[in-house]
Amino acid sequence: MAATRTRTPKACTSSLWGWWPHLLLMVPAGLVAVLLFRTDGFDPAPLPDYHSWFSSLPVPARNDHVLRGMERLADGHVAGPEDLAYSANGHHLYTGCADGWIKRLKLSETVESVSVENWTYIGGRPIGLSIGADNQLIVADAFKGLLRVAKEGGVETLTDGAEGVKFGLTNCVNIAGDGMIYFTDTSYKYKLGEHKMEFLEGKPHGRLMSFDPSTKQTQVLVRDLYFANGVALSPANDFLVFCETILRRCRKYHIQGDKKGTVDNFIDNLPGFPDNIHFDGEDLFWIAFPSSRTFPLYLMVRYPFLRKVAAILERFVKVPEMSWKSGVLGVSLEGKPVALYTDPALFGITSGVKIGRYLYFGSLVKDYISRLDLTTHPARAM
């Protein structure tokens, strides 16, 4: 069954006009709220001058209607499967859920034959997952920090802070061949339930870090990141790619070579706001984005005042959903876009993992995992 929403593509294309009543109602309410809470200490910042909202990379191949071919796995048995980790040993797919469980799926060619089990209870909110060479699972838990789950199911906290600063929202993780663990803390200021505030404030509170299991040392590699998110290692482990969600870009951190310890741009002006990134073991990185650029999000990014209004209103009423046209983008090792899989009515996709001919989709908000057969529903040249 397709992972769809009641919103239709037609409704999405007319979203600009449909949003004006909401905006007209929000502005006077926001003005009153700002007057009442003008000393609340929340001070949104303009985004850097080099950020360009209107620039977007052309993608040579696309499938803009993936909902037509999507299948659901573990429907109703996984609550918010935000990230996915695949183990070829046993053909298992792991995911962390909102109820604190790590769930394990036994994959199969037919959806009906896919099984799901409660594998290990973590508590907290397991988000990012990565499997090491020893088949131990490393978990980035939004509340608890970086955790290790032994094959027998025991859970150990590896680290929960760096340089005297506790992690606020441990997010994504990847393990190198030598055992070094790389991960992101989205924000040392805001926690998971406050992650919207991180976006609305528009300031760089994120960090990219490493943890060495042999020395138990946590090192900050890159500071001042705008909503630090996904992490993925290159096949040679000579560099890693990490995402900055707010700025719609992914950057490259050099682990080896003459440029060791330096950062370059990897891919910029993405079609959406990047979340997790995974290397498929072949030749592509897969970058998921929960939402493309939308008119309401443009206003939020463009005008810090509106972000302040939205932040204040969020305390009293739920701000309407501003995201849609989610998807996954395949990118070469050189940072060139290759294929885009999206749909106007798709929303909330946070990870994309390619296994064989299937692309699997995780989500922070759904209660199932989706998959798409890339042989029968390929991206086609534009």
Side-chain angles (χ1 to χ4, degrees):
M1 181 182 293
T4 187
R5 204 183 194 189
T6 54
R7 184 188 291 118
T8 65
K10 182 178 179 180
C12 292
T13 58
S14 62
S15 59
L16 188 154
W17 301 109
W19 257 89
W20 279 113
H22 293 289
L23 295 174
L24 291 175
L25 290 173
M26 287 175 64
V27 169
L31 290 172
V32 173
V34 170
L35 290 174
L36 290 174
F37 298 96
R38 61 186 181 277
T39 60
D40 67 349
F42 184 79
D43 184 26
L47 294 184
D49 292 338
Y50 56 77
H51 173 262
S52 175
W53 173 268
F54 294 103
S55 297
S56 184
L57 288 174
V59 182
R62 307 172 62 104
N63 178 344
D64 291 327
H65 300 284
V66 298
L67 287 176
R68 296 174 181 174
M70 274 189 171
E71 300 175 289
R72 292 186 181 184
L73 283 67
D75 200 351
H77 297 285
V78 287
E82 203 267 359
D83 193 19
L84 308 172
Y86 175 65
S87 173
N89 182 16
H91 202 38
H92 289 124
L93 189 66
Y94 296 82
T95 188
C97 298
D99 56 8
W101 278 95
I102 301 293
K103 302 292 182 82
R104 184 169 70 174
L105 283 70
K106 176 72 172 179
L107 299 181
S108 175
E109 281 297 311
T110 62
V111 172
E112 295 77 15
S113 300
V114 173
S115 63
V116 58
E117 63 175 313
N118 292 335
W119 186 64
T120 300
Y121 183 71
I122 298 290
R125 185 27 168 131
I127 297 185
L129 307 173
S130 187
I131 299 173
D134 56 0
N135 286 323
Q136 289 189 331
L137 184 70
I138 302 298
V139 179
D141 187 285
F143 301 115
K144 296 184 175 185
L146 196 66
L147 311 178
R148 176 164 54 199
V149 183
K151 289 178 287 186
E152 299 77 17
V155 180
E156 173 191 2
T157 299
L158 299 178
T159 179
D160 61 0
E163 299 180 338
V165 180
K166 291 287 188 180
F167 305 151
L169 203 174
T170 323
N171 199 329
C172 298
V173 60
N174 205 201
I175 309 171
D178 62 3
M180 186 70 76
I181 302 170
Y182 297 92
F183 65 103
T184 53
D185 181 27
T186 291
S187 171
Y188 60 77
K189 182 174 182 179
Y190 295 105
K191 297 188 180 299
L192 180 61
E194 306 166 321
H195 63 279
K196 282 186 180 180
M197 302 299 285
E198 176 72 11
F199 174 83
L200 294 172
E201 188 168 342
K203 295 178 181 178
H205 300 130
R207 297 179 288 177
L208 171 69
M209 288 168 285
S210 66
F211 177 81
D212 188 340
S214 63
T215 64
K216 311 296 184 185
Q217 295 298 308
T218 305
Q219 181 180 357
V220 178
L221 304 176
V222 187
R223 299 173 177 80
D224 302 325
L225 301 178
Y226 288 84
F227 210 104
N229 217 318
V231 179
L233 285 150
S234 68
N237 286 191
D238 55 342
F239 70 88
L240 63 80
V241 179
F242 64 92
C243 300
E244 286 184 280
T245 301
I246 294 175
L247 299 184
R248 293 177 24 250
R249 71 177 182 179
C250 296
R251 301 168 76 190
K252 177 193 291 188
Y253 176 84
H254 295 272
I255 299 173
Q256 302 173 12
D258 296 339
K259 302 181 74 174
K260 180 179 179 179
T262 63
V263 177
D264 293 329
N265 283 337
F266 180 70
I267 186 168
D268 208 345
N269 300 318
L270 289 164
F273 295 87
D275 199 308
N276 285 294
I277 176 171
H278 290 276
F279 182 66
D280 62 11
E282 298 173 356
D283 54 5
L284 293 180
F285 290 101
W286 294 89
I287 304 171
F289 52 96
S291 174
S292 65
R293 297 170 300 168
T294 67
F295 182 64
L297 287 175
Y298 161 69
L299 293 178
M300 294 292 106
V301 169
R302 179 67 177 83
Y303 301 105
F305 168 77
L306 288 180
R307 282 188 264 134
K308 185 176 181 72
V309 170
I312 294 171
L313 291 177
E314 185 72 19
R315 301 175 182 178
F316 306 101
V317 296
K318 185 174 177 59
V319 175
E321 181 62 54
M322 299 182 186
S323 60
W324 52 79
K325 201 175 182 181
S326 184
V328 178
L329 175 67
V331 178
S332 72
L333 291 171
E334 295 72 35
K336 303 297 183 183
V338 174
L340 177 63
Y341 294 86
T342 184
D343 196 287
L346 188 64
F347 74 103
I349 297 301
T350 51
S351 61
V353 174
K354 183 177 179 292
I355 305 170
R357 70 174 192 270
Y358 291 105
L359 184 60
Y360 292 81
F361 299 78
S363 170
L364 189 63
V365 297
K366 301 182 186 300
D367 61 355
Y368 52 86
I369 295 169
S370 305
R371 78 176 182 186
L372 183 73
D373 188 331
L374 300 185
T375 59
T376 56
H377 301 280
R380 300 190 182 279
M382 301 302 292

